[in-house]
Each structure stands twice: as C-alpha cells, then as structure tokens.
Amino acid sequence: MPRCRDAAPAPAPALRRTRLVAAAAAVVTVGAGLGLRGVATGSTAKYGGDALYTVLLLTLVVLVAPRLTPLRAAGTALAASWAVEFLQLTAVPAELSRHSIVARLVLGSTFNAPDLFWYVVGAAAGCLLHTVLAPAGGAGRAGREVGHATPRR
C-alpha cells in the first residue's frame, strides 16, 4: 500500500547527517565568499565569487533534497546559476538591485558571459566535495550515478 505524503517517516540518520553537512557547508561557503571579497580584488574576487555562488546553491539544493546524487545536485545548482545570469539580460534584476541589497546579492544586475564558465567551475568543485562528503551507502552514493539505484519501498 503506498504511503501518504503527509505521513512521511522522519529522515534517516544518513539524511540528517547530509542535511547538517550541507547547512554547515552553506555557512562556510558564505564565509569564504565574504573572506574572498575582503582579501581579493578584481577578477579573482569576481570570478571566485561566481564559483562560490554556485557552490552555495548546491549546498542549498542538498539541504532541500538530500537524496539527490552529487551530479544531479550540481546540475540543479548550475542550471539555477545560469538561469539567474540569463535573467540579467532583462531589466528585472537591475531594477530590483537598485532597491534591495539582497536582490543585488542574489540576482546581480548585469549579464557577463564569463560568469557562465565560473558557475561550471563552482558546480564541478561542489560536486567533487559532495561526492567526498556523501555518507557511504547513503544519499549521493556513486553507484547511483550510473543507474544502480536501490528500489523505493
């Protein structure tokens, strides 16, 4: 008999651990981004920040969906980063950024094609870290990447 979505069981210890690691990684990533802006300037600060933006999105994806494989979590974060960048081809982010610091931090304001590459760098680095930090036998296990998923019960 299928389970009711409302009566979902509490997350398994491996999922709780994955979420805790993702939350901690998000805090560390924000700190790294702020630290990078504090010590670096120019291209290093800008493009390093772009890569860290995608790493942060990846940590948030894992926080929300801890069962995703590292590759899918990274792909989702990369797609979101690219979507935000392409949104900058419209006037919407620039207008919102004029009125809100949060909008400026999240959406940026102007399209910059090289950012697309640095989002890939961030997604790759985040995917590698997620693969290393994923609990053995738990969410994000490498065997699931090639279609060897355990059946759902």
Side-chain angles (χ1 to χ4, degrees):
M1 178 173 215
R3 286 188 206 157
C4 211
R5 286 188 183 229
D6 294 337
L15 293 179
R16 276 194 294 271
R17 179 185 176 277
T18 299
R19 283 190 167 121
L20 285 172
V21 170
V27 170
V28 168
T29 303
V30 169
L34 293 172
L36 182 64
R37 290 287 180 160
V39 299
T41 59
S43 296
T44 302
K46 168 140 182 43
Y47 296 126
D50 289 343
L52 287 171
Y53 178 83
T54 302
V55 171
L56 178 60
L57 288 180
L58 191 151
T59 64
L60 298 176
V61 167
V62 172
L63 192 61
V64 171
R67 292 178 193 241
L68 284 180
T69 62
L71 187 59
R72 287 186 186 214
T76 302
L78 178 59
S81 296
W82 280 357
V84 168
E85 191 67 30
F86 284 114
L87 181 65
Q88 292 171 1
L89 290 170
T90 70
V92 173
E95 182 60 30
L96 292 173
S97 293
R98 267 195 289 267
H99 303 290
S100 168
I101 293 172
V102 173
R104 188 174 329 132
L105 292 171
V106 173
L107 300 176
S109 59
T110 55
F111 178 81
N112 184 31
D115 291 353
L116 299 171
F117 169 76
W118 291 101
Y119 296 144
V120 173
V121 170
C127 184
L128 178 63
L129 283 171
H130 182 21
T131 300
V132 169
L133 296 175
R141 190 169 158 194
R144 288 179 22 186
E145 288 288 274
V146 291
H148 300 291
T150 22
R152 290 187 178 172
R153 296 181 198 190

